[in-house]
């Protein structure tokens, strides 16, 4: 199996996109659902995966789709007999959700360790994934904190590489998704990582975060600053030092008044 895996790493770049997608999805599926005799994670991370591959794979494993066709829990519900007991259905759905979380975690770990160049479609896909993880957490009661932290690292890496492209226009990025995830997370570590994403996003595309600055500053004043640890203090300083200049760069005619109001909301929160 190890020899086959090594051979796969060599021939993978020569394959067509469709074949590459099938291989990557197969490794993810088998890794999440069974025990393998070779290091499948290492194999996956050794493949030359493009941003397009990551976008496609994440889309294939998305649960929050419009038609529900990519939602394994919904597919499972349709297949289940209506005579099944509710408790059995809940157990089945829970098991499928656990596997789904494993798949997302595998993909995120691979992306976090890859050298894939950041693209706007990839960043938009990662933002949407925040909603998926919230569903798995709030509706499924699954432990998503590690996946959220890894996702935050992926978002930071993607934003950093996007800064090298002066033509980037983030039209499909919604900062309110970040704010929602920050508010709903019980983990100060996840909150801090996502606040760093807000700060990085502000330096890349100031207008993207402008409509979300009030809840961000209010949250930091009410929660983050009260953590009373060195990293939380660093996060607050970093966020302020990136978001305030972003506001100054905006076209608002009342910049100074808005900044004073924001800082006041932070102090009095």
């Amino acid at each position: 199996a190890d020899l086959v895996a090594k051979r796969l790493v060599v021939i993978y770049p020569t394959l067509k996109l469709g074949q590459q997608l099938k291989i990557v999805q197969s490794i993810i599926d088998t890794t999440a659902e069974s025990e393998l005799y070779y290091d499948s994670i290492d194999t996956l991370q050794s493949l030359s995966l493009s941003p397009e591959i990551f976008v496609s794979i994440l889309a294939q494993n998305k649960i929050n789709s419009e038609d529900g066709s990519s939602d394994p829990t919904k597919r499972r519900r349709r297949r289940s007999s209506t005579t099944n007991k509710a408790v059995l259905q809940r157990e089945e759905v829970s098991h499928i959700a656990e596997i789904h979380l494993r798949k997302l975690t595998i993909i995120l770990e691979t992306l976090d360790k890859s050298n894939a160049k950041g693209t706007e479609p990839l960043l938009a896909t990662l933002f949407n994934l925040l909603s998926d993880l919230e569903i798995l957490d709030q509706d499924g009661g699954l432990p998503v904190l590690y996946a959220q932290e890894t996702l935050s690292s992926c978002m930071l890496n993607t934003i950093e590489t996007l800064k090298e492209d002066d033509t980037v226009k983030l039209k499909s990025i919604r900062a309110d998704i970040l704010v929602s995830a920050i508010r709903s997370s019980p983990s100060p570590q996840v909150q801090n990582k996502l606040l760093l994403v807000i700060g990085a996003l502000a330096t890349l595309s100031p207008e993207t975060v402008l409509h979300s600055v009030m809840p961000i500053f209010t949250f930091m004043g009410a929660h983050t600053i009260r953590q009373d640890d060195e990293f939380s203090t660093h996060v607050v300083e970093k966020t302020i030092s990136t978001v305030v200049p972003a506001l100054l760069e905006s076209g608002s005619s009342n910049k100074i008044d808005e900044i004073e109001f924001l800082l006041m909301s932070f102090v009095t929160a």
Side-chain angles (χ1 to χ4, degrees):
D2 288 333
L3 291 175
V4 173
K6 290 178 181 178
R7 177 62 179 162
L8 175 61
V9 172
V10 174
I11 67 172
Y12 179 84
T14 67
L15 302 176
K16 294 181 178 179
L17 180 63
Q19 293 172 313
Q20 292 179 340
L21 280 172
K22 288 181 180 179
I23 289 171
V24 172
Q25 187 64 60
S26 176
I27 295 175
I28 292 169
D29 289 343
T30 51
T31 303
E33 298 172 12
S34 62
E35 294 184 9
L36 301 180
Y37 293 103
Y38 67 96
D39 191 343
S40 55
I41 299 293
D42 183 64
T43 300
L44 195 60
Q45 294 175 353
S46 298
L47 298 177
S48 300
L49 303 180
S50 65
E52 292 75 20
I53 288 289
F54 281 110
V55 170
S56 297
I57 286 296
L58 286 169
Q60 288 178 191
N61 292 275
K62 183 174 177 55
I63 68 170
N64 195 20
S65 61
E66 293 180 359
D67 61 1
S69 60
S70 62
D71 184 343
T73 63
K74 292 182 179 178
R75 289 202 305 268
R76 185 57 181 165
R77 288 194 192 103
R78 286 197 292 265
R79 294 174 186 169
S80 297
S81 168
T82 56
T83 60
N84 284 348
K85 293 182 179 180
V87 63
L88 178 60
Q89 290 178 328
R90 285 197 298 270
E91 288 176 356
E92 290 176 341
V93 170
S94 177
H95 176 66
I96 295 170
E98 288 175 5
I99 292 176
H100 184 77
L101 178 58
R102 282 183 222 152
K103 291 180 181 180
L104 292 179
T105 304
I106 291 167
I107 298 169
L108 290 172
E109 285 180 337
T110 303
L111 176 58
D112 192 31
K113 294 184 179 180
S114 77
N115 294 317
K117 180 177 174 59
T119 64
E120 183 178 351
L122 177 58
L123 185 60
T125 301
L126 294 175
F127 265 69
N128 292 332
L129 186 54
L130 276 173
S131 299
D132 276 15
L133 292 179
E134 278 197 71
I135 291 173
L136 291 173
D137 177 22
Q138 298 174 8
D139 295 348
L142 296 179
V144 301
L145 296 183
Y146 174 70
Q148 287 177 325
E149 282 201 64
T150 309
L151 172 58
S152 301
S153 295
C154 292
M155 296 170 82
L156 284 169
N157 293 339
T158 302
I159 291 172
E160 286 304 314
T161 59
L162 279 172
K163 289 180 182 179
E164 301 171 6
D165 186 354
D166 296 332
T167 64
V168 171
K169 301 292 183 181
L170 302 182
K171 298 178 181 178
S172 57
I173 304 299
R174 291 173 48 197
D176 62 301
I177 296 178
L178 270 176
V179 175
S180 174
I182 291 170
R183 284 173 163 175
S184 64
S185 177
S187 167
Q189 290 82 5
V190 170
Q191 293 168 357
N192 285 339
K193 290 290 285 287
L194 291 175
L195 284 170
L196 289 176
V197 173
I198 288 280
L201 190 62
T203 62
L204 175 65
S205 179
E207 64 276 8
T208 303
V209 303
L210 289 183
H211 297 296
S212 301
V213 289
M214 177 60 73
I216 292 169
F217 274 63
T218 301
F219 180 88
M220 289 194 302
H223 300 280
T224 311
I225 196 65
R226 299 183 184 183
Q227 294 299 326
D228 196 28
D229 64 87
E230 188 174 341
F231 184 64
S232 294
T233 302
H234 164 73
V235 168
V236 170
E237 293 175 350
K238 183 78 172 178
T239 305
I240 292 175
S241 67
T242 50
V243 173
V244 170
L247 188 59
L248 286 171
E249 291 180 18
S250 71
S252 174
S253 58
N254 300 314
K255 297 176 187 177
I256 303 301
D257 291 341
E258 290 176 359
I259 291 174
E260 288 181 353
F261 185 66
L262 279 174
L263 294 177
M264 184 62 67
S265 69
F266 167 73
V267 172
T268 60

